[in-house]
Amino acid sequence: MATLRDVAQAAGVSPATASRALSAPDSVSSGRRFKVLEAAQRLGYQPNRSAQALASGRNRHLGLVLPDLANPYFATIAKGVQLEARESSNAVLVADTDEDPRREHDVVRELQTRVDGVVLCSPRMPEEQILECAARGPLVLVNREIEGIPSVTFDVASGMRQTLLHLRALDHRTIAYVGGPETSWSDRHRRRGLDSVAGITVIDLGPHRPVHAGGFAAADLALETGATAVVCFNDLVALGVVSRLQSRGVAIPSGMNVVGFDNIPGSTYVTPALTTVAVPLQRAGREAAMLLDPSLSPADAAPAQLRLDVELIIRESTAPLTPAP
Amino acid sequence: MATLRDVAQAAGVSPATASRALSAPDSVSSGRRFKVLEAAQRLGYQPNRSAQALASGRNRHLGLVLPDLANPYFATIAKGVQLEARESSNAVLVADTDEDPRREHDVVRELQTRVDGVVLCSPRMPEEQILECAARGPLVLVNREIEGIPSVTFDVASGMRQTLLHLRALDHRTIAYVGGPETSWSDRHRRRGLDSVAGITVIDLGPHRPVHAGGFAAADLALETGATAVVCFNDLVALGVVSRLQSRGVAIPSGMNVVGFDNIPGSTYVTPALTTVAVPLQRAGREAAMLLDPSLSPADAAPAQLRLDVELIIRESTAPLTPAP
DNA sequence: GTGAAAGCGCTAACAT
DNA sequence: ATGTTAGCGCTTTCAC
């Protein structure tokens, strides 16, 4: 394998010049630059990443920690991180914590020994642990906000408000909300939108596991309340609600309206297709990765806290309460 | 940040001994080992990965290349790779190719500059390009076999045979097969199982895109043939077939049976739950990562070609053709 | 703009 | 079992 020395020698310049020709082309006269590039090409030169990293103190590796790679929500964020990473010639180290918040802390620390910065999607890790991790190296939060740490979140309160306005316009007056994990930033902020619309009564069905199975129990509760629509913490839960309602013989939307959150791919595949709040997951991943780029964030600036807009997508699972005659 | 020298000094030993105490404990007397470990602990020593990598020539990084992270099929494989990597104290660099086979080659090569070995899930990259990549460094294929390259695949022909036997037992005599991409190893091998069961006529519906949308067109074709059951290349397609049939008013399983492949999580969420062939995706990821461990594979041995067993999971989308009276 | 030289922090012969 | 020594391949002052 050809080294930089070989290239320099072949080009008749010093290793320093060869290095510069490759990484800071403008600081080398065009003649020599050309010779170096040509030699590198000819010898099939591939820089040794480890040596670069050791000498420069930077890896060009980004870390990404998330609860579950097989969850389309997180997978989509991961795609966004990848996309941005590739454009800034970084690589992404992904670590899945298997939904175990206790494991997250160790995973982050382990990753921090290997990367220049970490994107952390951790709905449940205790705040003080996150602060501790942030002290060890650059870190950006996704879907959660902590004072003093850069983050990318979604304006879910607005999403909730849009949802309620939509349902009210369809003549619904009593709706049920299937909550997510109690400790989640994301659920707290959805709830902030719950009382933002006059003329709608919201029945709180309490916290539920944010997965398909969580929707089963919730569906039965919803039916009991007399609500005409059920709004769910996320699409996975909403899908569970739909399944359960259908198997109990309740038609959607005629017997009950259902709204999800997130707009994961599965929300369009189900029948009826789910009305849901689209959150720009991939964009969030990109933005998070960008916030990690040191050249873009002067160290003295306040940590950026992005709040991305969301949009209600109306599909088949919501309809006027009483259809026109 | 404390370095190994600092630790050595604090423990009153040479850097070499300190290094050994940490990485090959048995080669150091227990007294000194203890002192080193204690000093490391006290100073909060964290080895510098770049330096280790440069000196040893190994990164403890594994690469994983796949078409689409948001596809549950690949996401599950990724989880398996992660699991095994963690146990062997490796980290995983994931690269998504956005389903673009032309991009795969570059992505793999880029990754190979950063990792000790690559797990490649690439249904469509041309064989010669894969061979070229394999020549550059350790590489294991998943869900594809190429002579001379270690791989982990599934016995999908057996899965197909199990499916046909099941359908025959339910009195089906004519079934339709919705194929996947023509060039895919995986589709070729499914087809090998197609003629393995006597007494069943299989109508080939031709290649389809292996996603939900692909199932729509296929559903209409299937209806036209008079088949009583449709077997699909994968669950995503099967889900599409189900959607389309239902929206055309065909009940499942009474009007048509549907079988998928892969047993992705979504296959249980749909109504009716999908009969499908479960393939051990996570296990495949693990095995692939293990094959990459140099300590387990003597360089002179023939490349391992694992073929994992699959199992038909019978759910609600298949039923006897003519129910008992 | 260019080169010489000094490391980055660690591992692995080699010698003892 | 331990220490000495030499790099691994690159980046980056510093002087010119």
Side-chain angles (χ1 to χ4, degrees):
Chain A
M1 185 98 274
T3 74
L4 189 60
R5 286 178 73 110
D6 301 333
V7 174
Q9 210 153 15
V13 303
S14 75
T17 299
S19 173
R20 286 189 274 251
L22 294 166
S23 57
D26 294 339
S27 65
V28 170
S29 72
S30 66
R32 301 189 173 209
R33 180 185 11 183
F34 180 81
K35 293 181 92 119
V36 170
L37 265 31
E38 186 276 329
Q41 175 79 44
R42 185 160 44 81
L43 300 180
Y45 170 70
Q46 294 276 106
N48 178 315
R49 301 269 181 188
S50 306
Q52 287 184 314
L54 179 57
S56 69
R58 291 189 53 199
N59 250 340
R60 301 210 143 271
H61 286 1
L62 261 42
L64 172 60
V65 178
L66 31 73
D68 180 15
L69 251 182
N71 182 324
Y73 182 91
F74 299 114
T76 309
I77 293 175
K79 292 199 74 154
V81 172
Q82 297 257 337
L83 220 61
E84 178 55 31
R86 183 154 327 146
E87 285 183 12
S88 50
S89 46
N90 279 102
V92 182
L93 286 145
V94 182
D96 179 301
T97 63
D98 266 322
E99 297 278 10
D100 183 350
R102 291 165 307 178
R103 187 183 249 161
E104 285 173 354
H105 188 234
D106 290 342
V107 168
V108 173
R109 290 193 47 171
E110 210 279 329
L111 217 52
Q112 283 183 312
T113 70
R114 304 178 183 256
V115 303
D116 300 327
V118 170
V119 174
L120 177 57
C121 306
S122 174
R124 273 135 50 184
M125 173 150 59
E127 196 162 313
E128 65 270 21
Q129 285 188 9
I130 295 183
L131 285 163
E132 188 194 323
C133 291
R136 289 181 184 278
L139 184 148
V140 175
L141 283 171
V142 172
N143 200 26
R144 177 162 174 178
E145 249 168 33
I146 293 179
E147 171 107 21
I149 300 182
S151 60
V152 181
T153 52
F154 307 106
D155 191 354
V156 289
S158 153
M160 187 58 85
R161 185 178 154 76
Q162 293 174 47
T163 300
L164 297 190
L165 287 172
H166 168 60
L167 291 172
R168 190 180 65 183
L170 298 178
D171 284 333
H172 293 270
R173 290 296 172 264
T174 306
I175 68 127
Y177 174 61
V178 181
E182 286 179 279
T183 54
S184 112
W185 181 95
S186 185
D187 188 55
R188 275 205 309 287
H189 280 252
R190 277 164 178 65
R191 285 171 187 281
R192 288 196 188 168
L194 277 180
D195 54 6
S196 65
V197 174
I200 284 235
T201 304
V202 176
I203 298 168
D204 187 347
L205 263 27
H208 286 263
R209 288 184 45 228
V211 294
H212 193 257
F216 281 23
D220 294 334
L221 294 177
L223 237 28
E224 196 183 37
T225 63
T228 57
V230 33
V231 177
C232 303
F233 173 72
N234 70 12
D235 286 342
L236 250 25
V237 176
L239 257 23
V241 167
V242 167
S243 282
R244 177 65 180 173
L245 289 176
Q246 285 177 337
S247 73
R248 285 192 57 182
V250 178
I252 299 167
S254 61
M256 181 72 86
N257 281 16
V258 179
V259 180
F261 247 91
D262 298 345
N263 192 31
I264 59 174
S267 67
T268 61
Y269 300 166
V270 71
T271 316
L274 216 54
T275 291
T276 189
V277 176
V279 304
L281 296 170
Q282 188 159 329
R283 166 115 188 277
R286 294 194 61 130
E287 298 283 358
M290 286 179 69
L291 289 182
L292 240 26
D293 192 328
S295 62
L296 298 179
S297 61
D300 53 337
Q305 312 239 107
L306 265 53
R307 182 80 56 96
L308 306 182
D309 286 335
V310 306
E311 182 193 6
L312 180 69
I313 310 283
I314 296 166
R315 300 212 185 90
E316 302 155 10
S317 66
T318 52
L321 187 54
T322 45
Chain B
M1 183 98 278
T3 74
L4 188 60
R5 288 177 72 111
D6 301 333
V7 174
Q9 211 151 16
V13 302
S14 76
T17 300
S19 172
R20 285 189 275 251
L22 294 166
S23 57
D26 293 339
S27 66
V28 170
S29 74
S30 65
R32 299 187 178 214
R33 181 186 6 177
F34 180 80
K35 292 181 92 127
V36 170
L37 263 32
E38 186 277 330
Q41 175 78 45
R42 185 160 43 82
L43 300 179
Y45 170 70
Q46 295 277 107
N48 179 315
R49 302 267 182 189
S50 307
Q52 288 184 314
L54 179 56
S56 70
R58 293 190 51 200
N59 249 340
R60 301 209 141 273
H61 285 1
L62 260 43
L64 172 61
V65 178
L66 31 72
D68 181 15
L69 250 182
N71 181 324
Y73 182 91
F74 299 114
T76 309
I77 293 174
K79 292 200 75 157
V81 172
Q82 297 257 335
L83 221 60
E84 177 55 32
R86 183 154 329 144
E87 285 182 12
S88 50
S89 46
N90 280 101
V92 182
L93 286 145
V94 181
D96 179 303
T97 62
D98 266 322
E99 297 279 8
D100 183 350
R102 290 165 307 177
R103 188 182 250 161
E104 285 173 354
H105 188 234
D106 289 342
V107 167
V108 174
R109 291 193 46 169
E110 211 279 328
L111 218 51
Q112 282 182 314
T113 69
R114 305 178 182 254
V115 303
D116 300 327
V118 170
V119 174
L120 176 57
C121 306
S122 174
R124 272 134 52 187
M125 171 149 61
E127 197 161 310
E128 65 271 19
Q129 285 188 9
I130 295 185
L131 285 163
E132 187 194 323
C133 291
R136 290 182 183 276
L139 184 149
V140 175
L141 283 171
V142 172
N143 200 24
R144 177 162 175 177
E145 249 169 33
I146 293 179
E147 171 107 20
I149 300 183
S151 60
V152 181
T153 52
F154 308 106
D155 191 355
V156 289
S158 153
M160 186 58 86
R161 185 177 154 77
Q162 292 174 48
T163 300
L164 297 191
L165 287 171
H166 167 61
L167 291 172
R168 191 180 64 182
L170 298 178
D171 284 334
H172 293 270
R173 291 294 173 264
T174 306
I175 70 129
Y177 175 62
V178 181
E182 287 179 279
T183 55
S184 111
W185 182 93
S186 184
D187 189 56
R188 273 204 312 284
H189 281 250
R190 278 166 177 64
R191 286 172 187 280
R192 290 195 186 168
L194 276 180
D195 54 6
S196 65
V197 174
I200 283 235
T201 305
V202 177
I203 298 168
D204 187 348
L205 263 30
H208 287 263
R209 285 184 47 229
V211 294
H212 193 258
F216 281 23
D220 294 334
L221 293 178
L223 237 29
E224 196 183 35
T225 62
T228 58
V230 33
V231 176
C232 303
F233 173 71
N234 70 12
D235 286 342
L236 250 26
V237 176
L239 257 25
V241 167
V242 167
S243 283
R244 178 63 180 174
L245 289 177
Q246 285 177 338
S247 74
R248 284 192 56 181
V250 178
I252 298 168
S254 61
M256 180 72 86
N257 281 15
V258 179
V259 180
F261 247 91
D262 297 346
N263 191 31
I264 60 172
S267 66
T268 62
Y269 300 165
V270 71
T271 315
L274 215 55
T275 292
T276 188
V277 176
V279 304
L281 295 169
Q282 188 159 327
R283 165 114 190 280
R286 294 193 63 130
E287 298 283 357
M290 287 179 69
L291 289 182
L292 240 25
D293 190 329
S295 62
L296 299 179
S297 61
D300 54 337
Q305 311 240 108
L306 265 52
R307 182 78 58 96
L308 306 182
D309 285 336
V310 305
E311 181 192 6
L312 180 68
I313 310 282
I314 296 166
R315 300 210 186 92
E316 302 156 9
S317 65
T318 52
L321 187 55
T322 45

